Amino acid sequence: MDSTGTTRAASAAGTTPMVGTTGGQVSGYTTGRVNVFKGVPYGRDTAASRFEGAVPAAAWDAPLVAQAVGDPCYQKNRDWKGWTDNRDGSENCLFLNVWSPNDAKGKPVMVFFHGGGYRYGTGGAPLYDGERLAVRGDVVVVTVNHRLHVLGFTFLGDLLPDSDYAPNPGLLDLVAALHWVRLNISAFGGDPQNVTIFGESGGGGKVSCLMAMPSAKGLFHRAIVQSGAQRKLRSREQATKDTVALLEALDLGHKDAGKLADIPVDMLYTAYRKVVGNLSVRGALSGPFSPVLDGEVLPWHPSDPQAFDNCSVVTKMYGANAHESAYYLDFAGLLSHPVTDEDMLRDAVSYLNLDPSELADFSLLISDYKTRLPDIGLDRLKVGLLSDLWMASDTLKQSLAAASQASSAPVYHYVFAWEEPYQGDFWSLHGAELLFTFDNVDADEMWGESGAPAARANRDPSGYRYLLRDNVVSAWASFAKTGQPSLKDGTAWPAFDPKTLNTMVLGEGCEVQQDYFGNATRRIFDRIEAGVGS
């Protein structure tokens, strides 16, 4: 009996599901609806090979118990409840998790990359539990841990050019995970020739980078970038300066770069935090210790024509949320600030680090948004405008660039507009679509406060959010199956192209709008590079 058959028999009997992989057998558990395998190693402990490329996990003899998530990359992060498991993690972090519907065989595979920029996060976070998506979408779901921050993106190519250290090892981890999927996922009931990668925020940046990596070509067939379209990468010169600053924070000189491989991880991480400080939201995905345009692993910016040529056969979906900046503005004390046009200018300078040459264009944006959205107050207009300039502008630019390639596979574009409770109001927050993607719409404390289920029910007594959940899961899963997103309610979702600019608005009702942002706004977006991935 093959390993897929073994899994089916075990589930039917209510015993432990067992699957054979290239490393050996793994035993998971069954929920009655899915077989779950957590903490499956796809690579070896990186502590002894810090900054080097991932090496496949060593084979094991006895069945490996895969019933608990593996360590995330070493980090001292205490995120909101839904996004973290509150462990410091370790350098032994190359693990993945698999959720497979009972009796699965040849199902589409959806591989998710977590958010947190390139600084923190875990594929084992409660929000990313794949059971409901696997069942409702009839797909195999995979989530991945990999190296982050200083461990995943220290660039040594110009300080130690003859070493074995790899550029962008954190992204090479993801390539290794996709190779593991190619070799093993059929044993879990998945189709290795139908793999969709998707990610939100920093995870969207990772998807963007993978599309620009020759080593990842052919390992996936569709891609979804959720609120994290990365367009630019750090230069070798910038990345080398980051490494020099790290050395100086450790009281080391340029010639001591080789010692970074042996520094205790807690000391290395402390020095990293000292160097990075508080990152600006502008260009957050291309700040210190993020992916580097090294010329080998990443030879192109994700916005370069060559990058789109590299992934021309990949069907793509890009999207952003209507109020991405809401809780970031709250952190900065700007969410409920009294608003005049002058206040908006001041807040934009503070939030997006706009320089004087960009203020005239920002003033034009204010006027354009007032014309397009005459019925909302300036406080909400400010959040929407800053959100669009910060996140949606890069998403739109990448969608246009991809769709403009003569040989491009279809491109789809969305704006997620459903509003979630936060700080006594309702916003389409950064990450809000994840509650719907993973069928977790009743989750509480997702943004640090309790009472969300009651607030949702009071605002949505008819339960439309569940229909939207069905539409989102259907769209993501059908995109993974066929390359064409289809909503459960039958609403057609046409492809995005430079003429129609078709955009699916997912909110209180789902509808397609052409040229959602309008020509005037798009032209100003082209003149201001203030995005998260710019």
Side-chain angles (χ1 to χ4, degrees):
M1 181 180 292
D2 66 18
S3 53
T4 305
T6 302
T7 301
R8 291 201 299 270
S11 298
T15 57
T16 301
M18 190 83 68
V19 166
T21 73
T22 50
Q25 287 193 315
V26 294
S27 65
Y29 64 91
T30 180
T31 68
R33 303 193 301 173
V34 296
N35 296 305
V36 185
F37 303 84
K38 293 182 176 179
V40 180
Y42 67 87
R44 301 188 187 190
D45 187 344
T46 65
S49 55
R50 188 184 289 171
F51 310 133
E52 297 179 19
V55 176
W60 52 89
D61 295 323
L64 179 74
V65 177
Q67 299 182 358
V69 296
D71 269 355
C73 179
Y74 183 88
Q75 57 191 279
K76 290 187 177 294
N77 175 61
R78 296 294 180 263
D79 208 340
W80 287 318
K81 179 180 177 180
W83 274 272
T84 185
D85 62 8
N86 280 334
R87 290 182 295 169
D88 287 346
S90 71
E91 292 189 75
N92 185 20
C93 63
L94 304 189
F95 298 100
L96 50 78
N97 312 299
V98 182
W99 291 262
S100 178
N102 289 349
D103 300 323
K105 187 174 183 180
K107 299 295 185 184
V109 181
M110 299 188 71
V111 181
F112 180 77
F113 302 127
H114 66 74
Y118 297 100
R119 292 169 285 162
Y120 58 88
T122 169
L127 176 58
Y128 309 143
D129 185 285
E131 177 175 357
R132 290 175 295 279
L133 173 58
V135 171
R136 195 175 294 276
D138 195 26
V139 296
V140 174
V141 178
V142 180
T143 65
V144 181
N145 286 352
H146 65 104
R147 282 174 286 181
L148 300 164
H149 52 73
V150 67
L151 296 172
F153 298 97
T154 293
F155 181 66
L156 294 162
D158 292 340
L159 293 176
L160 298 170
D162 299 322
S163 71
D164 292 330
Y165 300 132
N168 298 300
L171 291 177
L172 290 176
D173 292 347
L174 301 183
V175 174
L178 290 173
H179 273 291
W180 185 96
V181 168
R182 170 66 59 86
L183 293 172
N184 294 288
I185 206 64
S186 60
F188 295 82
D191 181 359
Q193 297 304 318
N194 189 4
V195 175
T196 296
I197 58 173
F198 68 124
E200 184 270 342
S201 192
K206 296 160 195 174
V207 172
S208 301
C209 289
L210 284 165
M211 287 193 279
M213 293 173 64
S215 60
K217 188 173 183 177
L219 294 175
F220 58 93
H221 311 90
R222 318 189 204 289
I224 306 175
V225 177
Q226 301 173 212
S227 303
Q230 182 158 2
R231 302 182 64 246
K232 299 294 183 183
L233 307 170
R234 205 145 180 85
S235 71
R236 294 175 68 106
E237 293 75 18
Q238 291 171 319
T240 298
K241 288 180 180 178
D242 297 338
T243 305
V244 169
L246 180 70
L247 288 165
E248 292 173 350
L250 291 162
D251 294 323
L252 297 173
H254 298 194
K255 295 182 180 180
D256 297 320
K259 295 182 180 180
L260 292 174
D262 301 314
I263 296 288
V265 68
D266 57 339
M267 291 178 58
L268 188 70
Y269 186 78
T270 298
Y272 151 76
R273 292 292 296 268
K274 180 179 179 181
V275 170
V276 172
N278 295 317
L279 290 176
S280 168
V281 295
R282 181 174 184 166
L285 295 183
S286 55
F289 300 99
S290 67
V292 181
L293 186 69
D294 63 275
E296 178 186 352
V297 171
L298 272 170
W300 314 293
H301 294 290
S303 59
D304 287 345
Q306 300 94 321
F308 289 112
D309 286 341
N310 184 68
C311 64
S312 62
V313 300
V314 174
T315 309
K316 306 169 187 69
M317 182 194 297
Y318 296 92
N321 299 354
H323 303 130
E324 300 274 7
S325 66
Y327 59 71
Y328 295 98
L329 286 167
D330 185 31
F331 297 161
L334 301 174
L335 181 60
S336 58
H337 198 284
V339 175
T340 65
D341 285 4
E342 290 72 24
D343 290 332
M344 291 181 72
L345 282 168
R346 183 182 61 245
D347 291 351
V349 170
S350 174
Y351 180 69
L352 293 176
N353 287 339
L354 296 181
D355 63 48
S357 67
E358 296 170 320
L359 294 183
D361 278 327
F362 188 80
S363 294
L364 290 175
L365 269 182
I366 295 175
S367 298
D368 183 55
Y369 271 61
K370 285 181 175 179
T371 300
R372 290 197 294 114
L373 305 167
D375 297 326
I376 66 172
L378 282 181
D379 55 343
R380 293 187 72 84
L381 186 147
K382 177 186 74 172
V383 174
L385 192 162
L386 291 178
S387 298
D388 290 347
L389 190 56
W390 177 55
M391 189 70 73
S393 61
D394 280 350
T395 300
L396 181 64
K397 290 171 186 176
Q398 284 297 87
S399 297
L400 274 168
S404 297
Q405 296 292 107
S407 60
S408 175
V411 175
Y412 296 88
H413 185 259
Y414 73 84
V415 170
F416 186 82
W418 178 265
E419 297 179 356
E420 281 289 303
Y422 179 71
Q423 296 290 54
D425 206 337
F426 288 83
W427 306 93
S428 182
L429 298 155
H430 185 61
E433 87 287 359
L434 289 170
L435 299 179
F436 295 78
T437 306
F438 283 94
D439 184 6
N440 204 11
V441 293
D442 292 320
D444 197 10
E445 297 186 48
M446 298 310 297
W447 291 278
E449 53 185 305
S450 61
R456 293 186 192 106
N458 288 337
R459 194 177 198 230
D460 178 37
S462 64
Y464 177 80
R465 61 194 179 279
Y466 300 112
L467 175 59
L468 180 59
R469 180 269 320 274
D470 291 348
N471 277 335
V472 169
V473 172
S474 175
W476 264 239
S478 60
F479 179 83
K481 292 171 185 175
T482 68
Q484 166 69 56
S486 300
L487 274 62
K488 184 71 176 291
D489 66 8
T491 302
W493 187 339
F496 178 97
D497 64 65
K499 291 183 179 180
T500 63
L501 305 177
N502 289 317
T503 297
M504 175 61 76
V505 181
L506 299 163
E508 295 185 7
C510 297
E511 63 174 358
V512 174
Q513 295 185 20
Q514 294 187 351
D515 199 5
Y516 175 87
F517 295 100
N519 185 56
T521 292
R522 286 189 288 103
R523 286 187 295 179
I524 298 172
F525 282 171
D526 286 340
R527 295 197 295 268
I528 302 180
E529 292 284 352
V532 69
S534 297

